[in-house]
Structures are given as C-alpha cells and as structure tokens.
Amino acid sequence: MVDMDAVAFEVLVTDELDRLPDDMVDGLDNVIFVVEDRPEDGSLDLLGLYDGWALTERDRYGAGELPDRIIVYREPHLATCDTEEELRDEVHTTLVHEIAHFYGIDDERLHNLGWA
C-alpha cells in the first residue's frame, strides 16, 4: 500500500492527465476531473467513475448542462498499489478508462483493448 496525502495524489493525477495524448483530451467537452477519497458506498473496489453523458448519447444533452465528471478515487488506488510507479500506472489506466467512457466505449470493449 502506498501512503500519499490528498494534495500529493491530486498532483500525481494532474501529472498523469498532462501525459495523456492531446488527441485523447482535446475532444473532451464540458468535463471536469475530480479527486475524491472513496466512492459514496465507502468501498475500495472502484478506482474511477465517469458521471455524465457519453459523446454518443449527447443528442439528449441540453444547453446549460452541468459538466460531466471523471472521478478518480484516492484510497482505492493507494490500497491497490505497492509503489509510486505502480500508482502512476494505475492512475494513468483509470484516466484512460474513464475518458473512454466519455467517448462511448463500454467496459467490454475496454476489456478487449486491455484498459479494463
């Protein structure tokens, strides 16, 4: 288990977000990234969550919508990783996974691509 406070973890998430390819993040529209300690149910099973309308479903999306959220959970990441390098890799994978949901890629396809 890695020990890292909330501020340091947010910096790590921002660093990993900055390392993603431009073509992956440039298309994000009305999306914010949020770091939270744990999911609402308090579990350590969920590393991230896309909360919003996928690009493929935006025909139902109206003007003035609140931003979609990509949530990265700190404590589940820390509980699953033994080193900071492993933590960086896992955060990177989580970001790619949740961004893919924005683009309408489901878990089955992500699993087939090796991102789930």
Side-chain angles (χ1 to χ4, degrees), residues 17 20-33 50 53-56 58 61 68 70 98-104:
L17 186 56
L20 294 175
D22 288 342
D23 58 346
M24 182 181 291
V25 293
D26 286 348
L28 295 175
D29 178 41
N30 203 28
V31 177
I32 61 171
F33 290 83
Y50 176 70
W53 292 97
L55 194 57
T56 55
R58 292 257 170 134
Y61 199 73
D68 293 359
I70 291 177
E98 301 310 332
I99 290 169
H101 286 317
F102 166 81
Y103 289 111

Side-chain angles (χ1 to χ4, degrees), residues 6 9-11 13-14 33-37 70-74:
F9 186 77
E10 284 188 34
V11 169
V13 170
T14 301
F33 290 83
V34 178
V35 173
E36 294 182 0
D37 282 336
I70 291 177
I71 306 168
V72 178
Y73 297 111
R74 182 177 68 91

Side-chain angles (χ1 to χ4, degrees), residues 79-93:
T80 5
C81 300
D82 294 321
T83 66
E84 187 172 324
E85 182 179 338
E86 191 178 317
L87 179 62
R88 284 186 174 281
D89 288 344
E90 195 61 54
V91 166
H92 182 91
T93 300

